[in-house]
Amino acid sequence: MPSRSYNEELNFLEKIDSHCWRIKKGFVPNMNVEGRFYVNGHLEKLMLDELKQSCGNSHKGGFLPGVKQIGNVAALPGIVGYSIGLPDLHSGYGFAIGNMAAFDMNDPEAVVSPGGVGFDINCGVRLLRTNLDVKDVAPVKEQLAQAMFDHIPVGVGSKGIIPMGARDLEEALEMGMDWSLREGYAWAEDKEHCEEYGRMLQANPSRVSARAKKRGLPQLGTLGAGNHYAEIQVVDEIYDMHAAKKMGVDRKGQICLMIHCGSRGLGHQVATDALVMMEKAMKRDKIDVNDRQLACARINSKEGQDYLNSMACAANYAWVNRSSMTFLCRQAFAKQFNTTPDDLDMHVIYDVSHNIAKVEQHMVDGKEKTLLVHRKGSTRAFPPHHPLIPVDYQMTGQPVLIGGTMGTCSYVLTGTEKGMAETYGSTCHGAGRAWSRAKSRRNLDYQQVLNKLTEKGISIRVASPKLVMEEAPESYKDVTDVVETCHAAGISKKAIKLKPIAVIKG
């Protein structure tokens, strides 16, 4: 297809309202549905500038611009509604990160694509509350940060301290948080406040390769590196007191704890293994895609089902991982304050997944359909009264945890009916990268990044200081921009703003 000028590309994009654009059919070949993306003025400029820079480039290396990736996903077989880009969208493998799409389970042609889930399967965020105030923590902040750093194994290739043999791993992959509960690493209430109650039932450990298991075995209960972190946070603003009180947050200055991590090497290997098998399935079933990174298989094919079974195992592993780190954080706090986690009221507010594909019921053109919803770099955000959210949140909607970048604020949102109708109950997941990791390393000095955090009064413990440039706030879009866009578009609603006072990183 001959390359078009930027102005020609713009003919296929139309601004619907102040926060939503449509991508018309024809923007890329073979689109089955239109695209939609949500932005505000500043994020719109970033999206369109990326497209402008790509015009005239042959794209032999690197990823396509995010808006083109939304278009390519719209060309996948069996997609319904729209291919949707959320405000934190940035280029990724196959699907852009922040691109979600739903596929009709009753369409024999419909596909599942590992690129629509991501390599870090069930990378997600968990938020715990405490009954502590900032005045309780401030005098011992450094000691508490050190205690957490000592308790949680962090960094590339870090090894866990939760005892685990091969049989334990098999059980954890199948049982998810039920394994953590049985082994004493989780509280019964933790499961209630977790997406899928911390266990995907279609998990089948026999579908996970020996190599994936070998990578996962030593890493359980570890934070890893990259954008993963554990943060001690303080409540900075409460926008919706009714929703906040349901979450056990009732005042500014209250201390919370946020854990952001995923399925480590096991999830990465599950995705890699599936991509190899799906390339073969595509040839056999004659599935054509616009971008070979969108390798996929029919949902009901052996390859499709094997992937969904192994992906569920990786998702369960990630929930066990976050549960293990919750256990370690509770121990660190209890030790520092010479009391028990229970007396500190260290309950899980909620645990959300960012990279996952799930079978859900949604309305499409006025009819209820069973869909396979791919959420890559996006968060489930179900509205009030939805049967799949906990009793505690039936009146407020599901809590949605939006982790900020290192040293910037994080948010808790709630799901809305409008989000359910427009984005299949999905919203943003974080800030979204603005610079590549390589550009961040070239342009930033790690000591300056650390000094800036210290100036803001943030204690930091980091296993790989020379990697902190990749996660510096300058490397990302502004998380407040992203959240305000989702709030203004009505696809989720602001409830709480949190700011970090201590960061533990890989």
Side-chain angles (χ1 to χ4, degrees):
M1 188 174 170
S3 63
R4 293 189 290 242
S5 71
Y6 176 60
N7 285 333
E8 286 171 329
E9 295 282 29
L10 286 182
N11 290 333
F12 291 92
L13 305 181
E14 180 190 339
K15 194 168 186 173
I16 299 169
D17 59 35
S18 57
H19 291 93
C20 186
W21 285 64
R22 75 185 268 234
I23 302 170
K24 299 175 199 169
K25 289 185 180 179
F27 183 60
V28 300
N30 310 318
M31 285 172 69
N32 295 313
V33 296
E34 291 189 341
R36 289 277 190 277
F37 62 93
Y38 293 85
V39 283
N40 65 5
H42 180 234
L43 298 172
E44 174 188 309
K45 184 177 184 308
L46 284 173
M47 285 278 279
L48 296 181
D49 281 353
E50 184 188 41
L51 178 63
K52 193 175 193 175
Q53 283 167 11
S54 77
C55 288
N57 290 350
S58 58
H59 269 289
K60 294 238 164 55
F63 296 131
L64 292 166
V67 71
K68 285 281 184 188
Q69 291 193 306
I70 297 172
N72 285 336
V73 168
L76 288 174
I79 188 170
V80 295
Y82 306 104
S83 173
I84 296 164
L86 295 154
D88 46 351
L89 183 112
H90 57 285
S91 297
Y93 186 92
F95 280 57
I97 295 147
N99 184 185
M100 62 79 46
F103 297 81
D104 185 352
M105 293 285 289
N106 293 315
D107 180 348
E109 302 289 300
V111 296
V112 56
S113 174
V117 171
F119 283 93
D120 192 1
I121 295 165
N122 191 6
C123 176
V125 174
R126 174 175 290 207
L127 185 66
L128 288 83
R129 64 174 191 249
T130 74
N131 56 17
L132 298 166
D133 276 329
V134 69
K135 66 178 188 304
D136 303 314
V137 170
V140 293
K141 189 174 63 167
E142 288 295 335
Q143 296 96 305
L144 194 53
Q146 190 60 45
M148 283 175 63
F149 192 65
D150 292 342
H151 276 72
I152 302 171
V154 298
V156 179
S158 48
K159 294 201 165 45
I161 54 173
I162 301 287
M164 176 161 274
R167 187 175 166 196
D168 294 307
L169 180 65
E170 293 281 327
E171 290 175 348
L173 294 179
E174 185 173 342
M175 295 170 68
M177 277 180 70
D178 285 334
W179 183 88
S180 304
L181 191 58
R182 188 190 75 187
E183 298 296 316
Y185 297 119
W187 298 351
E189 303 93 323
D190 295 351
K191 254 174 66 80
E192 294 299 313
H193 285 184
C194 185
E195 208 173 304
E196 298 288 314
Y197 300 102
R199 178 178 186 177
M200 290 188 85
L201 296 173
Q202 68 266 50
N204 182 347
S206 70
R207 297 289 175 263
V208 178
S209 70
R211 179 165 170 73
K213 288 172 182 170
K214 187 179 177 184
R215 288 180 70 179
L217 186 59
Q219 292 184 333
L220 195 78
T222 63
L223 193 60
N227 61 350
H228 296 158
Y229 58 76
E231 276 187 0
I232 304 170
Q233 300 177 334
V234 58
V235 175
D236 193 40
E237 295 284 347
I238 298 177
Y239 307 105
D240 183 341
M241 184 56 87
H242 174 62
K245 281 187 169 174
K246 287 287 183 192
M247 299 175 205
V249 173
D250 59 5
R251 64 199 181 277
K252 287 188 191 181
Q254 188 173 339
I255 294 293
C256 293
L257 181 66
M258 187 176 271
I259 298 167
H260 175 204
C261 71
S263 50
R264 305 290 278 113
L266 181 135
H268 198 284
Q269 192 63 46
V270 164
T272 304
D273 293 341
L275 287 167
V276 173
M277 298 311 294
M278 286 189 181
E279 286 205 357
K280 294 174 185 167
M282 286 170 72
K283 281 180 187 157
R284 181 192 69 214
D285 296 337
K286 298 182 174 55
I287 302 171
D288 285 325
V289 293
N290 289 350
D291 177 1
R292 65 183 298 270
Q293 290 184 358
L294 288 169
C296 56
R298 306 252 187 261
I299 295 171
N300 293 316
S301 68
K302 182 180 185 304
E303 293 80 3
Q305 288 300 305
D306 283 355
Y307 172 67
L308 289 171
N309 293 155
S310 58
M311 181 210 71
C313 288
N316 288 347
Y317 179 96
W319 280 312
V320 172
N321 204 20
R322 289 198 284 279
S323 296
S324 302
M325 275 181 281
T326 301
F327 171 79
L328 297 169
C329 288
R330 283 170 172 158
Q331 297 299 311
F333 267 71
K335 187 175 174 185
Q336 182 60 50
F337 291 101
N338 197 25
T339 183
T340 65
D342 209 11
D343 285 341
L344 291 170
D345 192 37
M346 294 187 75
H347 283 276
V348 172
I349 290 175
Y350 208 61
D351 179 306
V352 295
S353 310
H354 290 159
N355 289 352
I356 206 154
K358 286 208 227 153
V359 178
E360 295 172 359
Q361 306 294 320
H362 289 276
M363 299 302 287
V364 181
D365 300 328
K367 292 182 188 151
E368 187 174 73
K369 290 201 169 185
T370 304
L371 306 179
L372 183 65
V373 182
H374 292 59
R375 291 192 183 96
K376 179 182 186 176
S378 63
T379 315
R380 192 185 78 176
F382 280 173
H385 315 301
H386 194 285
L388 291 182
I389 59 176
V391 173
D392 300 359
Y393 303 132
Q394 280 291 313
M395 303 306 287
T396 59
Q398 177 207 311
V400 181
L401 311 176
I402 309 298
T405 56
M406 191 170 63
T408 64
C409 53
S410 296
Y411 288 86
V412 184
L413 315 178
T414 51
T416 64
E417 286 292 353
K418 191 176 185 208
M420 200 66 185
E422 288 190 13
T423 61
Y424 302 107
S426 311
T427 191
C428 62
H429 86 302
R433 293 197 79 86
W435 291 359
S436 69
R437 293 181 188 279
K439 185 176 178 183
S440 299
R441 287 196 299 273
R442 282 196 306 271
N443 288 282
L444 299 169
D445 173 70
Y446 79 92
Q447 199 55 54
Q448 283 179 332
V449 173
L450 295 175
N451 291 346
K452 271 188 193 170
L453 291 173
T454 309
E455 284 162 23
K456 287 184 183 174
I458 299 168
S459 303
I460 179 153
R461 297 290 184 279
V462 57
S464 320
K466 294 195 173 170
L467 295 182
V468 295
M469 303 88 77
E470 296 180 3
E471 302 308 319
E474 295 90 335
S475 306
Y476 283 84
K477 296 173 182 175
D478 181 352
V479 70
T480 302
D481 257 352
V482 169
V483 165
E484 292 290 356
T485 304
C486 291
H487 181 80
I491 58 173
S492 46
K493 185 179 165 204
K494 289 191 301 181
I496 304 167
K497 179 183 177 185
L498 303 146
K499 66 176 187 185
I501 57 170
V503 184
I504 314 302
K505 279 197 78 71

